[in-house]
Amino acid sequence: MSKHQEIAYLGIADLHRLYLAGELSPVDMVDACLAMIKARDKAVNAFVTVTEEIAYETARRQEAELAKKPAKLPRLFGVPIGLKDLSDSLAGVRNTYGSRAFSDLSAARTADHVQRLLDAGAIPIGKTNTSEFGHKNTTDNYVVGPTSTPFSIGHNAGGSSGGGAAAAAAGMVSIGLGSDGGGSIRV
C-alpha cells in the first residue's frame, strides 16, 4: 500500500489525532486525495469537477489554525469531502445536475447544507458524478458518462449518489455527500 493510500483511508478520529500531533497536515491529506484521483479516477469516473485550488486554499488555512495549537478540532476539520453534483452547490464551481443543459453552469451561491459542512472544517475536493437530475438508478449522464464501482471497473456504481460512494470507496475522499429520493444511496 502506498503512502497516499494509507493516508487516504484514515478515519476522522485518526486524522484529528495525527493533525493535533503534527504528524499529518490537511495539505498532506489533500495531496493524498488528489494523488488517488489521478491514479484511479480515469477508470472509476467519480468526479465531474475537481476543486484542487479550493481544496489547497482550505487546507493551507487549516494548517495556519493548527499552528495555533488548538486543543480540539471542529468535527470535520481537515476531512476531504466529495459534493454531489446535484444540489450540493459550491459558489463559483460548476454544478451540472448531470445534465448537458447545465454543463457550463457555475453555482451563484453555496448551498446552506454545504456551507455548514465547510464551517465544520470539511475540505471540498470536488463535485461527484450523478445521474441526470438524480432520476436514475445508475450513475450515468451525458456530461461525463458512467461511474464504475472501484471494486469492479465497468460495473456501474448505482444510484444518483454513486459518484460520491465510488470516490470514498476508492480513497479519493474521506466522505461523500449523498441523497436518497428513490434508492440513490441504497443502490
Side-chain angles (χ1 to χ4, degrees):
M1 186 178 283
S2 74
K3 177 184 175 188
H4 286 139
Q5 286 174 314
E6 288 179 30
I7 292 171
Y9 287 106
L10 289 170
I12 294 172
D14 289 328
L15 280 178
H16 285 186
R17 180 181 50 77
L18 294 169
Y19 287 159
L20 290 170
E23 296 175 28
L24 186 70
S25 77
V27 169
D28 295 332
M29 194 62 191
V30 170
D31 286 341
C33 289
L34 293 174
M36 295 297 285
I37 290 169
K38 184 177 179 181
R40 302 202 66 192
D41 201 42
K42 186 173 182 178
V44 175
N45 198 35
F47 282 91
V48 173
T49 304
V50 176
T51 56
E52 181 175 338
E53 189 175 307
I54 294 169
Y56 276 121
E57 179 183 309
T58 304
R60 285 190 291 272
R61 195 170 52 250
Q62 290 180 345
E63 281 192 350
E65 291 175 38
L66 283 171
K68 297 175 187 173
K69 303 287 185 200
K72 189 176 177 190
L73 300 174
R75 182 170 296 260
L76 294 176
F77 184 94
V79 177
I81 188 169
L83 303 172
K84 187 175 177 179
D85 196 39
L86 204 53
S87 62
D88 299 337
S89 57
L90 188 60
V93 174
R94 182 168 80 148
N95 201 88
T96 72
Y97 302 93
S99 174
R100 282 192 290 201
F102 296 101
S103 62
D104 295 322
L105 176 73
S106 288
R109 64 181 287 277
T110 298
D112 292 341
H113 65 282
V114 172
Q115 188 60 56
R116 287 186 193 109
L117 292 165
L118 300 177
D119 291 345
I123 298 175
I125 298 294
K127 302 300 299 280
T128 56
N129 204 1
T130 185
S131 56
E132 187 173 28
F133 303 116
H135 289 290
K136 211 165 35 167
N137 280 333
T138 57
T139 312
D140 191 3
N141 62 58
Y142 292 116
V143 179
V144 297
T147 295
S148 290
T149 170
F151 306 114
S152 184
I153 299 300
H155 288 90
N156 197 274
S160 66
S161 299
M172 298 180 214
V173 291
S174 296
I175 57 176
L177 281 184
S179 56
D180 191 324
S184 296
I185 294 173
R186 292 167 280 160
V187 173

